Amino acid sequence: MTGNPSQPVQVLVLAGARAAGDPLCEAEGVASKAVIDIVGQPMLSRVLRALGASRANAPPWVLGLEGDALATAADGIACQPLASQGRGPASSLIRALEGPVSTPLLVTTCDHALLTPEMVDSFLAKSMASDADLCVGFAERAVIEADYPETRRTYLRLGGAELSGCNLFYLASPEALKVIRFWQSAEQDRKKPWRIAWRFGPLTALRIVLSRRGPDAVFALLSRQLGARVSPVTLEFAEAAIDVDKPGDLVLVREILAAREA
């Protein structure tokens, strides 16, 4: 489904807390990652500013924060609260799409503190040029490590490439829900790609893991299994793959932004 560049895009920012607690929040003495100070600004507000300066500039929905907590994290930037109603990001996203949120939809996370308007616009342009129901943003390992060899990311081996997720998703049509529902069932295995592949059966899992035909071929295979068109979108921004998930990430992100804004 090729997107219309002039069509308005809704935006959803995931900002829910982990059910088991977040060591990063405990270390920073805050209830939510969204309010962690990043060089003088709450982390969520940095994400909202980047979105507002991109073509996805409609007031975003923020899933998982409400009231004073959202007001503090947003730092005066317009956004719409949406209560979490699921046990994880996938189930909460499904509930949101069953309610006030609709496609086409850009999804990102509150800990994407290095997000820039250029990243958003590049991701949307490539996503809308595809015929996919769902696009997922990635950066290649070589791109990331060329600029930040010290960062430790989770890499997926897909079709011979090593890719790290960029916390950017574009849901072009309601068909994307088929993929989100699958992800809901596999969410606990997100750091274990082999287990996710195994859910399609041993033969398909082997084809996914052993393929050397490139990420597009792997996603074409996944699309046939899921009944919806899923496509990878590779970005040339190393920072797009660096979110704030661990204390080491927070140190690195603060250093990057302090240098960027000096």
Side-chain angles (χ1 to χ4, degrees):
M1 176 177 291
T2 303
N4 180 353
S6 64
Q7 185 177 13
V9 176
Q10 289 201 42
V11 182
L12 179 68
V13 181
L14 302 176
R18 294 178 180 176
D22 191 329
L24 188 58
C25 291
E26 295 173 8
E28 291 294 306
V30 296
S32 168
K33 257 200 309 192
V35 302
I36 291 177
D37 182 274
I38 307 286
V39 194
Q41 297 175 14
M43 183 153 53
L44 173 64
S45 72
R46 287 189 170 274
V47 176
L48 298 179
R49 285 186 178 90
L51 292 166
S54 75
R55 66 143 299 183
N57 55 13
W61 296 94
V62 177
L63 180 62
L65 281 181
E66 298 178 274
D68 292 342
L70 178 57
T72 299
D75 197 25
I77 301 172
C79 56
Q80 306 174 81
L82 194 61
S84 294
Q85 299 182 39
R87 294 186 177 181
S91 57
S92 293
L93 178 55
I94 290 169
R95 294 289 185 89
L97 286 164
E98 291 171 345
V101 180
S102 62
T103 58
L105 176 69
L106 172 69
V107 179
T108 189
T109 58
C110 74
D111 61 358
H112 207 328
L114 297 177
L115 190 69
T116 65
E118 292 77 18
M119 291 178 197
V120 176
D121 289 344
S122 175
F123 176 71
L124 284 177
K126 292 182 178 182
S127 297
M128 290 180 175
S130 77
D131 63 351
D133 299 301
L134 172 67
C135 291
V136 184
F138 291 100
E140 293 185 3
R141 184 170 195 156
V143 170
I144 298 167
E145 294 187 346
D147 289 341
Y148 304 103
E150 72 275 32
T151 188
R152 299 184 64 182
R153 316 309 319 161
T154 298
Y155 290 99
L156 302 176
R157 293 180 179 270
L158 295 173
E162 289 186 281
L163 304 174
S164 184
C166 292
N167 286 358
L168 286 168
F169 309 89
Y170 179 68
L171 285 66
S173 78
E175 292 296 299
L177 269 170
K178 295 178 181 177
V179 187
I180 306 302
R181 290 192 177 99
F182 169 79
W183 184 247
Q184 180 183 21
S185 69
E187 210 162 27
Q188 69 271 20
D189 295 328
R190 65 187 183 280
K191 300 290 186 181
K192 300 171 183 176
W194 171 258
R195 289 190 180 180
I196 294 175
W198 194 260
R199 289 171 179 267
F200 296 107
L203 181 59
T204 300
L206 286 171
R207 292 174 65 188
I208 292 171
V209 172
L210 299 178
S211 172
R212 292 295 180 270
R213 296 171 54 201
D216 287 330
V218 172
F219 273 81
L221 175 59
L222 291 173
S223 297
R224 290 193 292 273
Q225 293 290 323
L226 294 168
R229 294 162 294 184
V230 192
S231 178
V233 171
T234 305
L235 299 173
E236 298 302 319
F237 306 91
E239 295 88 349
I242 301 176
D243 57 5
V244 183
D245 201 39
K246 305 179 293 293
D249 299 332
L250 182 57
V251 172
L252 176 60
V253 165
R254 282 172 170 162
E255 289 175 352
I256 292 170
L257 285 171
R260 183 188 290 176
E261 297 174 8

